[in-house]
């Protein structure tokens, strides 16, 4: 008996000591990791199941305590052909199967009709991922219409984007950085081409350090493997419900198409879009100034509308001679034109404060039209290689050449006698650019994690020429006004290197890294001496994700960021933006440096998921646009470093499938923002704070197998600024979607900016004030828009579409 017991104990010891671990990685033909693939270990003799596992977000799997012997490793995932690999495990060493490639099996999906609703959002170690298709109200629109539904992002009446309360952010397109103005980029990209929106609030060291509030990565759609795919979308808008007494009726229509052909080693994609998206509206304002004893008031009201259209064409070709090498080349051409019309009636009056007597009253009509044009062409070339030791090298280069032109006309006429011309002014701007980026990245598996290293060189040059022209009303000729005319030449060079290590230890997933950047900035105007700035900075980062329970995770992160100054913020020469405003920058302005930190919980349950994140931003050299009095009827807007800011906030989000027919998504953000500093050479002290909150909700109701209704709301509360406050901003939308032909086609009827005269939708009042001025303007943009979208998909597009993206498109647009 004791002998049998000893033998049993020894056998257990032998199994525990000599059992080994089987690991590997599962990817698709594009070398993209496949998450949730089923990995089964089968007996060689009868294919019966021994044990198994599933792959993680990086496509990796791990099967522990496998006894020595011969097996079959089976790997499966829906939509892909199953792979079986013979494996032989000894009792002396662990076995890594390397990379297992699954090929798409399009035939297996042809007869499958999916009637359910996919998950709207998911949380990962360094980002939150949102599915663009869930937001029906954004279909036919742009990326800007998609991102404003996420809990981290808000968009105000002027289209200004903020993430967690800060307006500085970096946009990536399929992981490629874009240094252009995020508002202009996201206003161009068609919403129908977007697969996912990734909100990266604590970026790791491998990303550019730009973007004080974080990064938005736009992941676009891609075609099937070894086949073809075509997606075509069109949009048309019904006539406006209200005219707002605008000069022209708005027009809204557009179309986009993406075609993809993949054959063995080749992948070719073409994409094009056109969008006409006008917007009617008006503005109502009041401005007053005090100079000495003279009080000047000039309330105003009139049209403020937009005529805007753009088109883009993109091409991408990839060639994979073997499984270890991929070459790709891309081409982009885009043109965007926008007319902003502000036809305003002003009623001016001057009062002597010492006597109370009215000195003067008069009215005039100002026709202000701003035209901005951006025309860009760029190309990129990429190469990636996987070595025999499974390390990888990627090289990429991007070159961009573009033209940015602007023309603002200010025509002041008498009122009611509009035939009388009081003043006619033109501002012209020509701002061509040349820019390129060269990058190399190397990754190597070390221990239980991966080490990544990289170098990047960035160069940007813009040579602008800006003229202020005043018309001689007697001769009709325009002459240059030197005080408001200038050249503005900007050069930016940035060398950066980074290293980061990521891995897993039991229940802990981590990413830790360090980035170093050496940057030089030179701005030269019409003066002989340039304004130079040299920066040498370290940008550390760390991200942690710890699994407390199967369905409960704790996350934490820290990232050092920088927000670099734009050409507008640096140009010290005033531009006549409106009849009542000038705008200028400061060539000595300092970049903002930011410390981002966050900690949060992620909870998953049967009917959905929820998360809560507490975050903090410490901002040094906060840049604000502030106002001062230029003369009695003109306010000067100046970009300046206003001081240091602190932001504390909490963010929550949930995605619930409350019933088979009802899905609910909500994101909310609340934060306290405080700013302490001084303006105008320490003559004005700044000490302001405010509590701000925003709510984004999205409800989807299935009315049948192919019919659904959706309703969503975007709400931004009132917030305090350095010199005033912005009122609340509300946008409700609804849509009705009908699918046809087993989901291959759909029609969506949208009701945007719902109001019905009840909610003050799509309008926002901006107020600023100082010791000798007060301004308030209510921007009332078009409400109750009705649009119809038609979509068709052949072999539906999925995954990433790696088309090239503009590196510096319209940074000064």
């Amino acid at each position: 008996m004791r002998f049998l017991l000893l033998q049993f104990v020894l056998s257990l010891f032998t199994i525990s000591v000599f059992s080994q671990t089987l690991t590997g990685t599962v990817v698709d033909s594009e070398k993209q990791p496949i998450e949730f693939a089923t990995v089964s270990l089968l007996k060689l003799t009868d294919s019966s199941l021994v044990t198994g596992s599933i792959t993680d977000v990086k496509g990796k799997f791990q099967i522990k305590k496998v006894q020595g012997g011969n097996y079959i490793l089976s790997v499966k995932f829906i939509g892909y052909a199953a792979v079986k690999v013979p494996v032989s495990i000894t009792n002396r060493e662990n076995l890594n199967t390397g990379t297992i490639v699954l090929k798409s099996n399009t035939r297996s999906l042809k007869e499958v009709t999916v009637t359910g609703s996919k998950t709207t959002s998911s949380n990962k170690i360094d980002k939150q991922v949102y599915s663009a298709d869930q937001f029906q109200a954004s279909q036919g629109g742009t990326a800007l219409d998609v991102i404003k539904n996420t809990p981290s992002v808000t968009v105000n009446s002027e289209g200004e984007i903020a993430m967690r309360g800060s307006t500085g952010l970096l946009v990536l397109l399929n992981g490629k950085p874009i240094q252009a103005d995020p508002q202009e980029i996201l206003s161009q990209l068609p919403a129908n081409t977007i697969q996912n929106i990734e909100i990266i609030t604590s970026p790791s060291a491998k990303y550019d350090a730009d973007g004080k509030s974080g990064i938005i990565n736009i992941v676009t759609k891609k075609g099937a493997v070894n086949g073809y795919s075509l997606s075509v979308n069109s949009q048309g808008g019904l006539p406006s419900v209200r005219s707002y007494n605008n000069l022209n009726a708005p027009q809204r229509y557009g179309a986009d198409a993406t075609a993809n052909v993949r054959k063995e080693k080749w992948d070719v994609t073409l994409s094009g879009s056109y969008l006409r998206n006008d917007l009617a509206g008006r503005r109502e304002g009041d401005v007053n100034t005090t100079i000495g004893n003279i009080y000047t008031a000039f309330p105003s009201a009139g049209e403020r509308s937009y005529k805007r259209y753009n088109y883009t064409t993109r091409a991408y070709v990839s060639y994979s001679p073997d499984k270890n090498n991929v070459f790709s080349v891309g081409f982009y051409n885009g043109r965007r034109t926008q007319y902003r019309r502000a036809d305003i009636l002003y009623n001016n009056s001057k009062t002597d404060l010492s006597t109370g007597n009215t000195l003067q009253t008069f009215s005039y009509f100002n026709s202000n039209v701003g035209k901005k044009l951006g025309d860009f062409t760029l190309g990129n070339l990429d190469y990636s290689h996987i070595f025999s030791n499974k390390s990888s090298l990627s090289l990429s280069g991007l070159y961009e050449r573009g033209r940015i032109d602007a023309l603002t006309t200010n025509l002041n006429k008498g009122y009611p006698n509009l035939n009388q011309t009081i003043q006619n002014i033109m501002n012209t701007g020509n701002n061509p650019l040349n820019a390129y980026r060269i990058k190399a990245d190397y990754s190597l598996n070390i221990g239980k994690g991966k080490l990544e290293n990289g170098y990047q060189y960035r160069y940007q040059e813009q040579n602008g020429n800006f003229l202020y022209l005043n018309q001689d009303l007697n001769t009709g000729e325009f002459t240059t006004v030197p005080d408001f005319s200038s050249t503005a030449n900007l050069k930016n060079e940035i060398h950066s290197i980074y290293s980061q290590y990521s891995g897993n230890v039991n229940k802990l997933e981590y990413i830790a890294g360090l980035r170093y950047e050496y940057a030089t900035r030179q701005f030269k105007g019409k003066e002989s001496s340039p304004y130079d700035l040299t920066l040498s900075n370290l940008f550390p980062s760390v991200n942690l994700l710890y699994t407390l329970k199967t369905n409960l995770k704790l996350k934490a992160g820290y990232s050092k960021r920088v927000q670099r100054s734009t050409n507008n913020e640096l140009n010290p020469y005033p531009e006549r933006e409106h009849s009542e405003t000038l705008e200028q920058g400061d060539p000595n302005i300092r970049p903002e440096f930011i410390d981002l930190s966050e900690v949060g919980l992620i909870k998953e349950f049967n009917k959905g998921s929820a998360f809560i994140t507490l975050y903090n931003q410490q901002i040094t050299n906060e840049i604000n646009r502030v106002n001062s009095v230029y003369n009695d009827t003109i306010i000067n807007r100046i970009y300046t470093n206003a001081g240091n800011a602190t932001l504390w906030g909490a963010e929550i989000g949930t995605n619930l499938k409350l019933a088979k027919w009802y899905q609910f998504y909500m994101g909310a953000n609340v934060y306290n923002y405080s700013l302490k500093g001084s303006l105008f050479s320490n003559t004005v002290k700044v000490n302001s704070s405010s509590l701000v909150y925003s709510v984004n909700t999205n409800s989807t109701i299935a009315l049948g197998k192919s019919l659904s209704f959706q309703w969503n709301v975007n709400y931004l509360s009132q917030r305090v600024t350095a010199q005033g406050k912005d009122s609340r901003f509300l946008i409700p939308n609804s849509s009705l979607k009908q699918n046809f032909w087993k989901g291959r086609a759909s029609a969506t009827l949208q009701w945007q900016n719902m109001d019905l005269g009840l909610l003050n939708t799509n309008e926002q009042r901006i107020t600023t004030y100082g010791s000798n001025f007060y301004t308030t303007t209510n921007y009332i943009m078009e409400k109750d828009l009705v649009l119809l979208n038609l979509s068709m998909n052949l072999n539906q597009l999925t995954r990433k579409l790696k088309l090239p993206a503009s590196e510096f498109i319209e940074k000064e647009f």
Side-chain angles (χ1 to χ4, degrees), residues 192-239:
N192 295 321
T193 65
I194 301 173
Q195 182 76 19
N196 291 322
I197 300 291
E198 297 181 351
I199 306 297
I200 307 172
T201 53
S202 182
S204 63
K206 72 176 182 180
Y207 295 108
D208 282 4
D210 301 58
K212 71 178 182 181
S213 59
I215 295 173
I216 296 178
N217 184 30
I218 308 296
V219 180
T220 51
K221 297 176 181 177
K222 187 174 187 177
V225 179
N226 287 334
Y228 70 91
S229 60
L230 175 65
S231 173
V232 180
N233 305 278
S234 63
Q235 180 191 74
L238 275 65

Side-chain angles (χ1 to χ4, degrees), residues 615-662:
Y615 61 89
N616 173 255
Q617 298 178 15
Q618 298 289 336
I619 308 170
T620 304
N621 305 325
E622 171 85 323
I623 296 176
N624 273 204
R625 189 178 71 174
V626 297
N627 293 339
S628 65
V629 175
Y630 181 78
N631 63 27
D632 58 349
T633 60
I634 297 179
I635 298 294
N636 196 15
R637 297 174 177 171
I638 305 171
Y639 290 98
T640 186
N641 294 117
N644 298 329
T646 300
L647 192 151
W648 289 94
E651 186 176 87
I652 62 173
T654 184
N655 177 43
L656 301 173
K657 189 71 181 256
L658 298 176
K660 186 177 180 180
W661 51 271
Y662 180 56

Side-chain angles (χ1 to χ4, degrees), residues 337-348:
T337 306
Q338 174 180 286
Y339 295 86
R340 192 266 305 130
R341 175 174 290 276
D343 288 346
I344 309 296
L345 178 62
Y346 288 86
N347 296 295
N348 286 28

Side-chain angles (χ1 to χ4, degrees), residues 2-13:
R2 281 182 287 183
F3 173 76
L4 292 176
L5 179 62
L6 179 61
Q7 188 179 40
F8 176 72
V9 172
L10 288 175
S11 64
L12 290 178
F13 174 77

Side-chain angles (χ1 to χ4, degrees), residues 262-290:
R262 307 194 69 189
K263 187 67 175 178
E264 301 300 335
K265 300 178 180 180
W266 290 93
D267 179 5
V268 180
T269 301
L270 298 175
S271 177
S273 68
Y274 177 86
L275 180 63
R276 176 72 180 267
N277 188 24
D278 300 349
L279 196 64
R282 60 183 281 106
R283 51 155 283 188
E284 300 169 350
D286 192 8
V287 182
N288 63 67
T289 63
T290 303

Side-chain angles (χ1 to χ4, degrees), residues 547-593:
T547 302
L548 299 170
K549 298 179 181 179
T550 303
N551 57 359
L552 183 63
K553 296 181 180 181
L554 173 68
K555 66 180 296 184
Y558 168 80
S559 180
K560 184 81 171 181
R561 314 295 296 162
V562 63
Q563 183 68 24
R564 307 183 199 279
S565 306
T566 66
N567 211 6
N568 283 340
E569 294 169 345
L570 292 168
N571 190 352
Y573 310 106
E575 177 186 356
R576 190 74 175 271
E577 187 71 15
H578 302 288
S579 175
E580 67 196 53
T581 60
L582 292 171
E583 186 170 299
Q584 70 181 101
D586 177 3
N588 292 310
I589 206 167
R590 301 282 298 182
E592 298 170 286
F593 287 93

Side-chain angles (χ1 to χ4, degrees), residues 114-294:
V114 179
T115 59
S117 180
K118 65 182 179 181
T119 302
T120 303
S121 60
S122 62
N123 290 270
K124 303 186 183 300
I125 183 173
D126 60 344
K127 59 193 172 188
Q128 301 160 24
V129 183
Y130 300 91
S131 171
D133 291 341
Q134 290 293 313
F135 306 119
Q136 292 178 190
S138 66
Q139 292 179 8
T142 66
L144 195 63
D145 299 309
V146 179
I147 68 163
K148 67 183 182 182
N149 292 289
T150 65
S152 302
V153 179
T154 57
V155 181
N156 68 6
S157 62
E158 294 292 277
E160 183 181 62
I161 307 166
M163 191 159 78
R164 289 185 172 175
S166 296
T167 55
L169 54 93
L170 176 66
V171 173
L172 308 181
L173 186 57
N174 295 322
K176 291 183 176 293
I178 303 170
Q179 297 304 316
D181 181 352
Q183 177 183 345
E184 300 303 331
I185 292 298
L186 297 173
S187 296
Q188 289 188 30
L189 189 64
N192 295 321
T193 65
I194 301 173
Q195 182 76 19
N196 291 322
I197 300 291
E198 297 181 351
I199 306 297
I200 307 172
T201 53
S202 182
S204 63
K206 72 176 182 180
Y207 295 108
D208 282 4
D210 301 58
K212 71 178 182 181
S213 59
I215 295 173
I216 296 178
N217 184 30
I218 308 296
V219 180
T220 51
K221 297 176 181 177
K222 187 174 187 177
V225 179
N226 287 334
Y228 70 91
S229 60
L230 175 65
S231 173
V232 180
N233 305 278
S234 63
Q235 180 191 74
L238 275 65
S240 297
V241 176
R242 295 179 55 189
S243 68
Y244 299 90
N245 295 319
N246 287 180
L247 182 64
N248 299 303
Q251 300 181 48
R252 287 180 281 270
Y253 54 88
D256 62 84
T258 301
N260 175 261
V261 178
R262 307 194 69 189
K263 187 67 175 178
E264 301 300 335
K265 300 178 180 180
W266 290 93
D267 179 5
V268 180
T269 301
L270 298 175
S271 177
S273 68
Y274 177 86
L275 180 63
R276 176 72 180 267
N277 188 24
D278 300 349
L279 196 64
R282 60 183 281 106
R283 51 155 283 188
E284 300 169 350
D286 192 8
V287 182
N288 63 67
T289 63
T290 303
I291 301 179
N293 289 325
I294 305 302

